[in-house]
Amino acid sequence: MSPAPFNRSPDLRRLRDEGYHVAIDGGFLLMHGVPYVDSRREVRRGTLISSLTMAGDTTVRPDTHVVYFDGDRPCSATGRPIAAIAHHEGDIDLGHGVRAKFGFSSKPDEGYTDYFHKMTTYASILSGPAATLQRGVTAKTYAVPDEDEDNVFNYVETASDRAGIGALTDLLADERVGIIGVGGTGGYVLDFVAKTPVQEIRIFDGDVYLQHNAFRSPGAPSIEDLRDAPRKVDYLSGIYSRMHRRITAHPVHLTPENVDLLDGITFAFISMDAGDAKRAIVAKLEEIGASFVDVGMGLELVDGSLGGILRVTASTPEQRSHVHEGRISFAGGGADDVYTSNIQVADLNALNAILAVVKWKKIRGFYRDLEREHHCTYTTDGNMLVNGDLG
């Protein structure tokens, strides 16, 4: 199932967002860490288990009100069994390695509307007596969920739903993103893209990660990291793969001979110098119908302070001509020279990346885009942001 049921099903997602430790095992939904009282009036924790009814990768209304429980017999605060929910008991093998000791039955008049309703109702029944004996005890453990191989993240992304923008974040879920050049601005692009649920991230750079890179890219490498002189893509993928599972490192410079490595990309960020390689990359992205953003930075030291311009140029299948009319230079001496000086500063690298990533999200509908600009510049002197090539 892709994406995972927890991304597609609001009831399952809500269980995790509210702190319940839930997981799917086989065809069952498990809620771990549910507090209850045993016959010795001790507070313990067990696991609630429900069969799971789904349509594809989304849940539908539960088809039964029965649940199972892996733990000792739940009791009231006085240590007497809670008879109202008893259904059956024994060593129950549910398959897939899931076992239970009890089956419970508690059915509301209208049944359970979804799995959030069902699981939290049973959790409340069991944990109520426990909360009487141990103030504050709850089934909301906020435990890090088990890994889900269908999830692009190594742990559940809860920020979007806490902010109420989960549906917008889903707009990015089918993207396969390429980041070409990860030394400065491209490294920050990776930082931001890795926090989105894109299906794949491919990073391309043939250079070694050296000391000067440490001071203009995200993160804080150790002296040992720098002594190893790793490839940029290997160093960065090692960091961001801790969060996002589907990052592929290509320790090469893209050239006319290897641009087929871009096949399958749906969006690309280009952060590299002008030249024939960039021309071949742009031609390949246009051939495969991918949208892209090209970035540039030109800073000058004048009268003891820095000033300059950042550029973000977007290209979509609906609007590409401006790219070939001087907005992007493909060779030295072109109109883009102002953006290709060697001075780089971490904060402006980050700002250039932010502008590029915001434009990507505008193109995909995540952000409102009234002007639909395909070219913008930011000038440090005057704090001036100018849009051009409106769609």
Side-chain angles (χ1 to χ4, degrees):
M1 292 172 285
S2 181
F6 286 99
N7 293 336
R8 292 291 191 188
S9 305
D11 52 347
L12 300 187
R13 187 165 58 223
R14 185 180 175 190
L15 284 167
R16 281 193 170 175
D17 289 350
E18 293 197 11
Y20 295 98
H21 185 186
V22 288
I24 294 173
D25 196 342
F28 293 94
L29 176 65
L30 281 62
M31 178 185 285
H32 300 291
V34 178
Y36 69 100
V37 176
D38 67 12
S39 59
R40 296 179 297 276
R41 301 183 67 235
E42 294 178 357
V43 175
R44 302 176 62 186
R45 290 183 183 268
T47 300
L48 278 171
I49 305 163
S50 171
S51 60
L52 194 59
T53 306
M54 305 190 69
D57 54 6
T58 59
T59 58
V60 296
R61 186 169 182 150
D63 63 351
T64 177
H65 61 279
V66 173
V67 298
Y68 300 94
F69 183 68
D70 187 19
D72 286 343
R73 181 183 292 277
C75 295
S76 67
T78 63
R80 303 185 68 175
I82 303 176
I85 60 170
H87 183 52
H88 61 272
E89 65 178 290
D91 187 9
I92 306 166
D93 185 357
L94 298 172
H96 304 283
V98 180
R99 308 188 76 87
K101 296 180 180 177
F102 296 91
F104 296 150
S105 173
S106 178
K107 184 178 181 180
D109 291 340
E110 302 299 325
Y112 292 105
T113 57
D114 58 23
Y115 286 94
F116 180 88
H117 182 202
K118 181 178 182 180
M119 300 302 279
T120 56
T121 297
Y122 277 103
S124 296
I125 293 171
L126 298 190
S127 62
T132 300
L133 298 179
Q134 185 176 318
R135 185 176 180 182
V137 71
T138 174
K140 297 182 179 182
T141 63
Y142 290 94
V144 176
D146 296 332
E147 288 190 355
D148 183 342
E149 64 182 13
D150 293 314
N151 197 339
V152 298
F153 295 114
N154 285 310
Y155 39 87
V156 177
E157 190 271 291
T158 59
S160 297
D161 292 307
R162 285 174 64 89
I165 58 171
L168 289 177
T169 303
D170 286 345
L171 295 173
L172 310 174
D174 293 330
E175 290 276 50
R176 298 183 180 275
V177 175
I179 305 174
I180 304 160
V182 292
T185 299
Y188 286 101
V189 170
L190 174 60
D191 184 280
F192 303 135
V193 175
K195 295 176 172 66
T196 69
V198 297
Q199 281 298 300
E200 180 186 7
I201 304 171
R202 300 181 208 170
I203 55 177
F204 303 88
D205 200 310
D207 289 336
V208 172
Y209 192 90
L210 298 175
Q211 198 147 327
H212 66 278
N213 300 119
F215 290 91
R216 68 187 195 194
S217 61
S222 68
I223 188 65
E224 290 77 19
D225 292 329
L226 296 174
R227 285 171 180 159
D228 289 340
R231 294 284 188 179
K232 290 178 182 176
V233 293
D234 293 333
Y235 172 71
L236 291 170
S237 65
I239 293 173
Y240 290 99
S241 291
R242 300 170 190 167
M243 171 179 275
H244 201 291
R245 295 179 179 178
R246 298 177 185 171
I247 299 175
T248 304
H250 294 274
V252 298
H253 295 299
L254 286 179
T255 67
E257 288 70 39
N258 63 7
V259 290
D260 287 346
L261 291 172
L262 293 170
D263 284 339
I265 290 294
T266 61
F267 198 97
F269 295 89
I270 305 174
S271 178
M272 59 181 292
D273 293 336
D276 290 339
K278 179 179 282 191
R279 187 188 301 276
I281 291 166
V282 168
K284 180 64 176 181
L285 292 170
E286 291 179 346
E287 175 190 328
I288 64 178
S291 298
F292 65 87
V293 166
D294 182 76
V295 299
M297 178 187 301
L299 301 180
E300 294 181 315
L301 179 62
V302 178
D303 297 330
S305 63
L306 284 175
I309 302 174
L310 311 182
R311 173 187 57 80
V312 173
T313 303
S315 174
T316 63
E318 296 75 28
Q319 188 165 334
R320 297 205 190 272
S321 61
H322 62 294
V323 167
H324 304 282
E325 295 170 354
R327 290 304 195 189
I328 297 177
S329 176
F330 298 108
D336 197 49
D337 279 357
V338 67
Y339 305 110
T340 57
S341 72
N342 289 325
I343 300 174
Q344 295 189 42
V345 183
D347 46 85
L348 291 182
N349 278 131
L351 178 56
N352 211 7
I354 289 170
L355 292 173
V357 171
V358 167
K359 185 58 207 177
W360 164 53
K361 290 185 174 182
K362 283 184 176 182
I363 290 171
R364 295 308 186 219
F366 184 94
Y367 290 123
R368 193 163 43 245
D369 194 5
L370 298 179
E371 291 195 330
R372 301 182 64 186
E373 82 287 345
H374 281 62
H375 180 81
C376 78
T377 59
Y378 171 77
T379 305
T380 58
D381 187 9
N383 199 41
M384 182 170 58
L385 188 65
V386 178
N387 291 337
D389 299 320
L390 308 184

